[in-house]
């Protein structure tokens, strides 16, 4: 091998090592109570318009949703955006949403490339992996807003309701979803009204609270007013996202 040339496998893993290093550095800075961020990310954000407050980020999300509801979403120029984002990203919001094919955050909020950091899994709940992803968004990418997005007629919620009602676990790994969603469903079963709708709402509330309170990264960012965590419900018929207070 020639001097200065890395083996192919090293080249392939280099970005992830860099990201992990930045993550570690940023985490240390947060533990120290600083606002120090990686110099490259701070000096040259690829999308300067995304350097906004948590409140402004929420307003931009909802304005994008308004356009989507009205059917006047802007057409993004992906060809122009791709090269700008090769060396980095600074999304203005992170979204924890369901994997449901009818709920696509980039479309729902009329966002372009590099705007939204999206974690999707059936039932939109925060497990260790989604927590870690959100910590990365906040600590390394300086994302100022996390939205937990539930939706009408969620199959994961309904499967959990059925499993608890029948006292029978679902097949395969679906049981892990049921275990995660069971607390919200149990609360909703104590209430009058539509159990599925209540459980969906409760699940969003529970996960907003979990993200806000999980240390050491997310809770510190909330306390320092660098991060806002909010919940919303996507309406399948209108496309409207109703924020939960
Ligand atoms: Zn769902």
């Amino acid at each position: 091998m020639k001097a200065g040339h890395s083996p192919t496998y090293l080249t392939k893993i280099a970005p992830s090592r860099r990201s992990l290093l930045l993550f570690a550095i940023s985490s240390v800075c947060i533990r120290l109570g600083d606002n120090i961020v990686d110099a490259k990310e701070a000096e040259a954000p690829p999308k300067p318009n995304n350097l906004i407050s948590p409140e402004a980020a929420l307003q931009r999300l909802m304005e994008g949703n308004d356009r989507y509801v009205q059917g006047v979403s802007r057409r993004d120029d992906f060809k122009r955006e791709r090269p700008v984002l090769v060396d980095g990203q600074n999304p203005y919001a992170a979204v924890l949403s369901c994997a449901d094919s009818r709920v696509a955050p980039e479309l729902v909020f009329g966002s372009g490339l590099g705007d939204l950091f999206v974690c999707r899994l059936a039932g939109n709940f925060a497990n260790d992996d989604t927590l870690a992803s959100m910590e990365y968004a906040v600590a390394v990418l300086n994302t100022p807003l996390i939205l937990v997005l539930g939706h009408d007629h969620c199959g994961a919620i309904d499967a959990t309701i059925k499993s608890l009602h029948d006292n029978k676990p679902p097949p395969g790994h679906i049981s892990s979803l049921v275990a995660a969603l069971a607390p919200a469903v149990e609360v909703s079963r104590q209430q009058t009204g539509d159990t599925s709708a209540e459980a969906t709402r409760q699940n969003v509330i529970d996960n907003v609270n979990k993200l806000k309170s999980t240390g050491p990264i997310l809770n510190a960012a909330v306390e320092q007013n660098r991060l806002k965590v909010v919940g919303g419900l996507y309406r399948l018929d209108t496309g409207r996202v109703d924020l939960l207070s």
Side-chain angles (χ1 to χ4, degrees), residues 202-223:
Q202 188 64 46
N203 181 49
V204 170
I205 292 169
D206 290 350
N207 282 287
V208 166
N209 290 334
K210 183 172 183 178
L211 287 162
K212 275 183 181 174
S213 61
T214 297
I217 292 173
L218 299 181
N219 63 348
V222 169
E223 285 167 15

Side-chain angles (χ1 to χ4, degrees), residues 6-198:
S6 301
T8 305
Y9 75 92
L10 281 180
T11 306
K12 283 181 178 170
I13 64 172
S16 102
R17 278 188 175 166
R18 176 180 178 275
S19 298
L20 286 172
L21 179 61
L22 293 179
F23 191 23
I25 292 171
S26 297
S27 301
V28 169
C29 292
I30 283 175
R31 278 201 293 276
L32 293 173
D34 291 341
N35 287 323
I36 299 170
V37 294
D38 172 66
K40 187 171 185 295
E41 302 276 359
E43 284 172 9
K47 292 197 129 182
N49 291 341
N50 285 0
L51 294 175
I52 54 180
S53 69
E55 292 73 21
L58 182 56
Q59 185 178 345
R60 187 184 292 181
L61 269 187
M62 300 315 291
E63 287 171 355
N65 181 238
D66 275 343
R67 293 194 299 274
Y68 169 74
V69 168
Q70 293 168 30
V72 293
S73 295
R74 287 196 293 249
R75 288 187 63 188
D76 264 279
D77 183 352
F78 297 129
K79 188 177 177 184
R80 180 186 59 79
E81 281 187 331
R82 281 194 300 265
V84 171
L85 293 161
V86 166
D87 290 328
Q89 58 170 323
N90 62 317
Y92 73 85
V95 182
L96 173 55
S97 79
C98 188
D100 193 299
S101 64
R102 300 165 293 181
V103 187
E106 288 88 349
L107 298 177
V108 167
F109 298 108
S111 297
L113 298 177
D115 287 333
L116 298 184
F117 187 93
V118 179
C119 294
R120 295 182 68 173
L121 80 171
N124 47 270
F125 60 89
N127 59 15
D128 281 353
D129 298 317
T130 46
L131 274 173
S133 297
M134 290 301 175
E135 288 177 343
Y136 178 85
V138 171
V140 180
L141 306 179
N142 300 305
T143 303
L145 177 72
I146 298 174
L147 170 68
V148 180
L149 186 62
H151 68 97
D152 299 329
H153 308 306
C154 181
I157 292 284
D158 290 344
T160 304
I161 292 170
K162 184 173 188 330
S163 175
L164 296 183
H165 178 268
D166 298 346
N167 195 26
K168 184 181 171 189
H173 291 78
I174 299 173
S175 56
S176 69
L177 295 180
V178 167
L181 300 173
V185 170
E186 293 286 12
V187 170
S188 71
R189 292 170 86 189
Q190 311 301 320
Q191 300 166 348
T192 57
D194 184 315
T195 302
S196 178
E198 292 289 345

